[in-house]
Amino acid sequence: ALCSRLSSMRAASSCTNGQTGCHFLSLANLFDRVIQHSARMHGISNDLHSEFELYFLPSKNQIGRVSRNCHTSTILTPNGKENAQRIAREELTEVILKLLVAWREPLWHFHQNMAQHREFNNFSSNKSLEMSEMVHELRRGVQKVVEKMQMLGVINSSLGNLGSPEALLASDRAEWRLMNDYDLLYCFRRDSNKIQNYLKILKCRIIPEHGC
Amino acid sequence: CSRVVDMTTLGPHFTDCISRDQETFRCWWSPGSLQNLSSPGALRVFYLKKDSPTSAWKECPEYIHENRECFFDANHTSVWIPYCVQLRGQNVTYFNEDDCFTVENIVRPDPPVSLNWTLLNISPSGLNYDVLVSWKPPPSADVGVGWMRIEYEIQYRERNATNWEALEKQPHTQQTIYGLQIGKEYEVHIRSRMQAFVKFGEFSDSIFIEVTEIPSKDYTVPLTLVLIFGVVGVLTVIMLIVISQQQRIMMILLPPVPAPKIKGIDSELLKKGKLEELNFILNGGGVDGLPAYATDFYQEEPWVEFIEVDEEDAEGGDKEDNYNSDTQRLLGLPHRNIEGFSAISHPDDDSGRASCYDTDLPEHDTQRLMASLLPGQPEDNETCLDAPASETGEKPLIQTQIGGPQTWVNTDLYAQVSNVMPSGGVVLSPGQQPKIQENTSGSERETQKGGKQNEDVEGIKEQKRNEPQFQLFVVVPEGGGYTAENNTQQTSTPPSTSVPGAGYQTIQPQPMETKPAATGDANESPYILPEPSQPQLFTPVADYTVVQELDTHRSLLLNPPPSQSPSLCQPQHPLKVPMPVGYVTPDLLGNLTP
């Protein structure tokens, strides 16, 4: 059910005569789709991580070690419910986009690596490909949501630089290359959960009446 | 991954760390097999929050010693940040790396609350039913803000069974259980977990579902019987109605197509081989002959037009004997001759007449003229119009004027009107000469001026003797709507046995139009309509022909005229095929080429 590409969300807007209720409804629909997409992305990352553990059997619980190696650790993210609710909408949106942008390239490389490994069966290889594509599409979807929010005046247009999120990550270009595959999967699993969570919080802050 | 646990030398360890709402979490420990550490305070909990490289171990923010539990409140809880916990004794630190976790991975939501069920439906067999189970999310989980996204799993089993049936996990707060059996009691409970995670919360308390048998079957059987009997009864009544009213229904549904028939003539005669009888009858002979008086006979036929002569006019005025006889003949004219004429009904009202006629023409003059136009039998007082054979030689020429009432007299034969002149005259015979028309017109005018009738008769008679042909001028006030019927009437005229060379034409009386409305193409019919500007365009018209036989379409096939081509069409449209004149079947029309 979540197979619909985010690009199909372009046609979601049927409110042409400026009804605000209709616009908010279409914004809620956009949010729902994005959230569903992120949930699916997180599910895949979870599966891949478990599978990786199964295949490669890390000897110990590597949580402590790994968490410092995530290349997205430099991105400041709210770590609690209150924090997530306290920060501004624009800031939360910016965090989401930053995370999505940061994972585009590493996941693509991960998929390329996985395609060459014989230990990974086709199932996992398909999942890694799907995961890397999902990140890209989820980012486009979130950008559309941002545009819609800006159009509706929900958030102010101070996020001008979100059009080119690559500018946000000017600093950490190559840090992700230091991660091994397992670390990458672990880090992405965590970050995809963050993205999912932030999106849901953002939606329920802006449009609480539709399915929160 | 599995851990080998040696229960005998198990030291103090953490049993579990759980978060219920992703905002706080708790950890429980056990002293292990070393009982001397079981007292409260003997073991202390330390945790490390790896949110920065310089983080340090800290002690448990809140102890609950009776549970051996360490509680981390919201201020000390951060999600997505690794925690490590350890137990410390007096001088010993019991640390296990497996005790590192992130909060989102240890979330086990509370079970939902307010679990209840409603009956959805019962299967038609009455053995199974469906139930809708609904609940509310756990109050500890903040679903409204979106902080927690929970999916639920329902399990049910029969009262005394051992295995639970699990339904598919889904995030909504209601779900349908299908296929429960009536009479059995079921136990249902539910649990929840975070979406895309693996750890479930506790099960809720069970609810029990039972539906006993519903005694509704008793009502269905008699209802079915009643319905069946009712339907059968209605069908029987309908059948009775249909059978009793069969004829009428057949009339309504399939109205009979009127067979072709001629009034007074048995349709049997129209079959092949009975032409003699037909001719006899059509001539008026026999009991079955057509009725004598045209007007009476055709009283109810609106499409038949008669040229009626007013009786009072006939009596008034200074009439000659000839004239009287003529008019009487006219009055007593058998209707059978009407078939040879273009019968025009004389309407009592003036409808239609004003446009066609000269209104200043007195009626009686016209009649006198009419009488004078019987050259054939002016002295012949015979009124036996049913013997046209005896009156040979000359045919009555009848002229009517345009403006006057339409009168015509035919003393012996059927005078088929073959053409209508623009001046209003009707050409009866073929080969109508224009000068005859003019002459007669002139003579008409002369008679209009009140000449003696006898003289007129004589004058015209001479003319007529010169011409073996006759003209009948008939003016039809109405349009050509009646032409078809007139044609068919005309075609059924008996053969003129007396006048082999008689040139009678059937003329479609159409004063104004130039095309017959009945037939499709004026140019192709054997009837010529006089054009107003060409009064002299008369091609020889076919003779009064004999009905030879009937073809398969029940159309009368007449003899082709011996000498003339049966073309009454305009000169530029000669017929190629010798055609039966006087009657053209629709399919024969196609053979007529311009």
Side-chain angles (χ1 to χ4, degrees):
Chain A
L2 301 174
C3 300
S4 60
R5 299 293 195 183
L6 284 178
S7 56
S8 65
M9 294 200 308
R10 243 175 263 134
S13 172
S14 59
C15 317
T16 51
N17 45 1
Q19 305 162 356
T20 45
C22 179
H23 280 290
F24 272 97
L25 186 61
S26 68
L27 180 63
N29 287 338
L30 274 177
F31 257 119
D32 285 340
R33 295 193 211 193
V34 171
I35 290 168
Q36 276 184 1
H37 213 132
S38 67
R40 169 132 181 93
M41 191 175 69
H42 173 64
I44 293 178
S45 72
N46 208 7
D47 295 341
L48 267 178
H49 178 262
S50 310
E51 236 174 271
F52 215 90
E53 276 193 327
L54 208 61
Y55 275 110
F56 294 100
L57 294 170
S59 56
K60 292 271 190 173
N61 191 341
Q62 313 218 7
I63 293 179
R65 178 190 65 79
V66 165
S67 64
R68 276 172 281 200
N69 290 353
C70 284
H71 72 294
T72 54
S73 305
T74 55
I75 303 175
L76 291 177
T77 59
N79 290 321
K81 187 175 83 170
E82 291 82 12
N83 292 346
Q85 290 196 300
R86 248 185 256 133
I87 73 171
R89 299 170 180 174
E90 292 83 358
E91 207 174 325
L92 191 57
T93 312
E94 197 175 332
V95 163
I96 296 170
L97 281 171
K98 275 185 185 175
L99 286 171
L100 285 170
V101 168
W103 278 105
R104 171 87 173 101
E105 223 172 317
L107 283 180
W108 174 246
H109 278 267
F110 172 78
H111 166 65
Q112 301 288 17
N113 290 340
M114 284 303 109
Q116 299 162 7
H117 285 194
R118 292 291 174 261
E119 299 86 23
F120 256 31
N121 53 15
N122 292 338
F123 179 67
S124 300
S125 175
N126 289 343
K127 279 196 173 174
S128 62
L129 175 65
E130 193 177 351
M131 204 164 63
S132 69
E133 285 175 353
M134 268 190 183
V135 161
H136 181 62
E137 298 212 357
L138 188 58
R139 187 196 110 191
R140 283 167 53 197
V142 173
Q143 269 175 320
K144 290 209 186 306
V145 172
V146 168
E147 285 166 15
K148 187 102 183 167
M149 286 197 294
Q150 284 174 333
M151 183 192 77
L152 291 176
V154 171
I155 58 176
N156 53 28
S157 306
S158 64
L159 305 172
N161 52 1
L162 282 183
S164 58
E166 285 77 7
L168 302 172
L169 301 174
S171 59
D172 49 352
R173 281 301 112 204
E175 281 186 6
W176 56 269
R177 296 184 192 274
L178 302 175
M179 293 193 296
N180 57 24
D181 291 335
Y182 177 79
D183 296 351
L184 190 141
L185 284 178
Y186 176 84
C187 291
F188 182 64
R189 179 166 158 253
R190 183 193 73 177
D191 286 345
S192 60
N193 189 230
K194 279 189 187 178
I195 292 167
Q196 183 190 10
N197 225 319
Y198 296 155
L199 280 173
K200 186 83 179 187
I201 289 176
L202 191 63
K203 186 219 170 183
C204 290
R205 276 172 70 176
I206 293 173
I207 317 168
E209 57 270 6
H210 292 290
C212 273
Chain B
C1 17
S2 58
R3 229 191 304 177
V4 177
V5 176
D6 189 359
M7 295 303 294
T8 55
T9 58
L10 195 59
H13 60 276
F14 284 97
T15 54
D16 211 353
C17 287
I18 294 179
S19 169
R20 290 163 56 210
D21 52 6
Q22 210 173 353
E23 298 172 56
T24 63
F25 69 97
R26 300 161 194 269
C27 285
W28 295 270
W29 75 89
S30 157
S33 53
L34 302 175
Q35 291 301 320
N36 56 350
L37 294 174
S38 58
S39 60
L43 284 171
R44 295 162 69 193
V45 175
F46 282 84
Y47 71 94
L48 177 64
K49 187 171 169 187
K50 296 184 180 178
D51 52 356
S52 70
T54 60
S55 54
W57 289 91
K58 297 175 188 170
E59 193 159 0
C60 171
E62 187 174 340
Y63 281 101
I64 304 174
H65 287 283
E66 48 273 14
N67 293 335
R68 293 200 193 101
E69 174 186 313
C70 179
F71 174 68
F72 294 81
D73 60 0
N75 297 331
H76 294 91
T77 305
S78 298
V79 193
W80 302 298
I81 291 179
Y83 281 82
C84 290
V85 288
Q86 59 180 208
L87 287 166
R88 291 185 188 176
Q90 290 288 345
N91 296 323
V92 182
T93 301
Y94 305 94
F95 176 63
N96 193 342
E97 279 193 5
D98 287 340
D99 293 332
C100 291
F101 55 87
T102 53
V103 176
E104 73 271 15
N105 286 318
I106 61 167
V107 176
R108 294 179 188 265
D110 285 338
V113 296
S114 307
L115 188 63
N116 59 2
W117 65 276
T118 54
L119 180 65
L120 273 184
N121 52 27
I122 300 182
S123 68
S125 62
L127 297 175
N128 298 323
Y129 60 97
D130 302 333
V131 159
L132 181 70
V133 186
S134 61
W135 59 89
K136 290 205 182 76
S140 60
D142 196 348
V143 186
V145 177
W147 182 241
M148 293 199 30
R149 298 149 309 282
I150 301 178
E151 58 187 21
Y152 306 96
E153 187 192 50
I154 284 189
Q155 292 181 0
Y156 69 96
R157 67 174 179 187
E158 285 182 43
R159 188 67 183 265
N160 297 325
T162 53
N163 295 333
W164 290 90
E165 281 292 328
L167 298 183
E168 194 175 339
K169 292 171 274 291
Q170 47 87 31
H172 305 107
T173 57
Q174 62 185 24
Q175 197 166 8
T176 308
I177 306 178
Y178 298 99
L180 299 179
Q181 291 185 7
I182 293 215
K184 291 190 181 176
E185 194 178 4
Y186 290 90
E187 184 182 357
V188 177
H189 64 192
I190 189 171
R191 60 179 180 174
S192 48
R193 76 169 183 188
M194 288 287 283
Q195 284 182 3
F197 285 95
V198 295
K199 297 190 177 178
F200 277 102
E202 296 272 331
F203 274 108
S204 64
D205 294 333
S206 292
I207 60 169
F208 295 91
I209 298 176
E210 188 176 8
V211 174
T212 54
E213 194 165 315
I214 298 175
S216 64
K217 274 188 190 176
D218 301 338
Y219 296 122
T220 59
V221 172
L223 190 64
T224 314
L225 283 176
V226 165
L227 276 177
I228 290 172
F229 278 117
V231 168
V232 167
V234 167
L235 282 176
T236 310
V237 169
I238 290 175
M239 287 302 298
L240 286 175
I241 291 174
V242 167
I243 291 171
S244 67
Q245 303 286 333
Q246 204 170 12
Q247 292 301 323
R248 221 189 287 178
I249 289 176
M250 288 303 292
M251 288 291 291
I252 294 170
L253 291 177
L254 305 170
V257 178
K261 66 178 277 187
I262 300 169
K263 258 194 185 169
I265 292 183
D266 189 4
S267 58
E268 285 292 314
L269 294 179
L270 291 177
K271 292 185 181 168
K272 188 164 182 161
K274 301 195 179 165
L275 212 51
E276 307 301 327
E277 293 95 339
L278 180 68
N279 291 339
F280 178 62
I281 287 173
L282 284 179
N283 279 331
V287 184
D288 292 333
L290 303 175
Y293 289 90
T295 49
D296 293 342
F297 182 72
Y298 285 104
Q299 201 68 38
E300 59 274 14
E301 306 275 316
W303 43 264
V304 173
E305 295 177 317
F306 296 99
I307 303 172
E308 293 179 358
V309 179
D310 288 339
E311 300 225 27
E312 52 270 21
D313 285 339
E315 295 171 49
D318 193 13
K319 303 281 197 285
E320 293 278 21
D321 291 339
N322 297 335
Y323 180 75
N324 281 336
S325 63
D326 290 339
T327 52
Q328 281 171 7
R329 283 195 213 104
L330 175 67
L331 290 177
L333 190 67
H335 72 283
R336 62 186 165 85
N337 291 323
I338 287 180
E339 295 166 349
F341 311 121
S342 55
I344 301 168
S345 63
H346 180 73
D348 290 334
D349 54 350
D350 289 338
S351 66
R353 261 202 280 167
S355 59
C356 298
Y357 313 126
D358 297 334
T359 52
D360 52 354
L361 183 67
E363 270 191 352
H364 66 281
D365 285 340
T366 310
Q367 300 204 348
R368 294 167 66 177
L369 174 70
M370 290 302 299
S372 68
L373 297 181
L374 295 175
Q377 292 86 35
E379 296 84 12
D380 190 359
N381 289 331
E382 288 181 6
T383 56
C384 51
L385 298 171
D386 49 357
S390 60
E391 298 159 354
T392 62
E394 296 180 352
K395 298 108 186 130
L397 176 66
I398 300 167
Q399 272 188 343
T400 60
Q401 291 199 323
I402 301 172
Q406 303 125 1
T407 56
W408 49 261
V409 175
N410 186 335
T411 53
D412 51 356
L413 297 177
Y414 294 96
Q416 293 181 344
V417 178
S418 62
N419 211 339
V420 178
M421 313 301 285
S423 57
V426 170
V427 178
L428 280 184
S429 58
Q432 178 61 48
Q433 302 303 321
K435 60 181 169 72
I436 292 179
Q437 187 182 11
E438 292 162 6
N439 287 340
T440 51
S441 306
S443 63
E444 285 175 18
R445 295 191 195 96
E446 285 172 12
T447 54
Q448 286 179 19
K449 289 172 184 138
K452 226 21 185 154
Q453 177 149 13
N454 263 343
E455 298 160 2
D456 299 332
V457 171
E458 296 294 337
I460 293 173
K461 196 173 19 172
E462 288 180 32
Q463 294 172 11
K464 297 311 162 253
R465 290 203 181 101
N466 293 339
E467 312 290 337
Q469 297 170 336
F470 302 90
Q471 294 184 1
L472 176 66
F473 288 87
V474 174
V475 180
V476 183
E478 284 82 11
Y482 304 110
T483 54
E485 291 77 4
N486 291 339
N487 289 342
T488 49
Q489 275 192 319
Q490 293 160 15
T491 54
S492 60
T493 58
S496 64
T497 56
S498 61
V499 187
Y504 286 93
Q505 302 177 357
T506 54
I507 301 178
Q508 287 181 351
Q510 289 178 347
M512 295 305 166
E513 293 93 350
T514 56
K515 290 192 178 183
T519 56
D521 191 348
N523 295 336
E524 300 191 75
S525 77
Y527 309 115
I528 296 182
L529 299 175
E531 292 176 354
S533 58
Q534 304 171 22
Q536 61 275 21
L537 289 180
F538 282 97
T539 57
V541 181
D543 285 348
Y544 190 63
T545 55
V546 179
V547 177
Q548 272 304 336
E549 61 180 18
L550 303 172
D551 66 6
T552 55
H553 300 288
R554 284 193 158 214
S555 59
L556 306 176
L557 295 180
L558 308 175
N559 263 344
S563 56
Q564 295 128 348
S565 69
S567 168
L568 270 181
C569 296
Q570 302 187 359
Q572 60 270 28
H573 304 292
L575 290 176
K576 290 183 185 172
V577 180
M579 291 285 308
V581 177
Y583 180 68
V584 177
T585 58
D587 49 356
L588 292 178
L589 260 184
N591 295 339
L592 303 174
T593 54

